[in-house]
Amino acid sequence: MPDRTQGTSHRQPPVHTHPDDVPLLTALCALADPVRLQLIRDLAGHADWTLSCSNFDVPVGRAAKSHHFSVLRDAGLVEQRDQGPKRLNRLRREEFDARFPGLLDLTLRADENE
């Protein structure tokens, strides 16, 4: 059995894509899904690193939620880090805004037709 250092996670750390490496179509596709849109809006309303994955109330199971977070990481929208058994999240707003100015603002604006 491998030796695990106290306080480390048993899972692999998440892989992140920097927004500078994200094509526009990838960003748009990530933001087009209603579940991912809700995750982004929830993150935008909270301070960085305060929400763990279990804090999000979205109508999908655990595996699907994990997939949605993976898509958001691949699009450069979300950064995650493990803290004990929890995976904490932050919206990469500053970096994403530098790459796609105004896109996140438009996305976060409540649409009256939803």
Side-chain angles (χ1 to χ4, degrees), residues 23-45:
L24 177 60
L25 188 56
T26 300
L28 292 173
C29 288
L31 292 168
D33 183 272
V35 171
R36 291 192 288 270
L37 183 58
Q38 184 60 49
L39 294 172
I40 291 298
R41 286 180 174 166
D42 288 350
L43 279 170

Side-chain angles (χ1 to χ4, degrees), residues 13-18 73-74 78-81 92:
V15 176
H16 299 94
T17 303
H18 194 278
R73 283 194 318 269
D74 290 345
V78 171
E79 185 177 8
Q80 296 180 304
R81 70 176 183 205
R92 298 179 77 174

Side-chain angles (χ1 to χ4, degrees), residues 18-20 92-104:
H18 194 278
D20 288 346
R92 298 179 77 174
R93 186 170 194 142
E94 185 176 313
E95 302 102 301
F96 195 82
D97 282 344
R99 173 74 169 116
F100 303 108
L103 181 58
L104 204 48

Side-chain angles (χ1 to χ4, degrees), residues 5-81:
T5 306
Q6 183 92 3
T8 61
S9 178
H10 64 281
R11 59 186 164 181
Q12 294 293 321
V15 176
H16 299 94
T17 303
H18 194 278
D20 288 346
D21 299 325
V22 175
L24 177 60
L25 188 56
T26 300
L28 292 173
C29 288
L31 292 168
D33 183 272
V35 171
R36 291 192 288 270
L37 183 58
Q38 184 60 49
L39 294 172
I40 291 298
R41 286 180 174 166
D42 288 350
L43 279 170
H46 290 83
D48 291 350
W49 310 118
T50 57
L51 293 177
S52 70
C53 293
S54 62
N55 292 128
F56 295 89
D57 185 25
V58 289
V60 296
R62 189 173 173 186
K65 190 188 302 185
S66 178
H67 167 74
H68 286 298
F69 274 111
S70 176
V71 171
L72 293 172
R73 283 194 318 269
D74 290 345
L77 281 155
V78 171
E79 185 177 8
Q80 296 180 304
R81 70 176 183 205

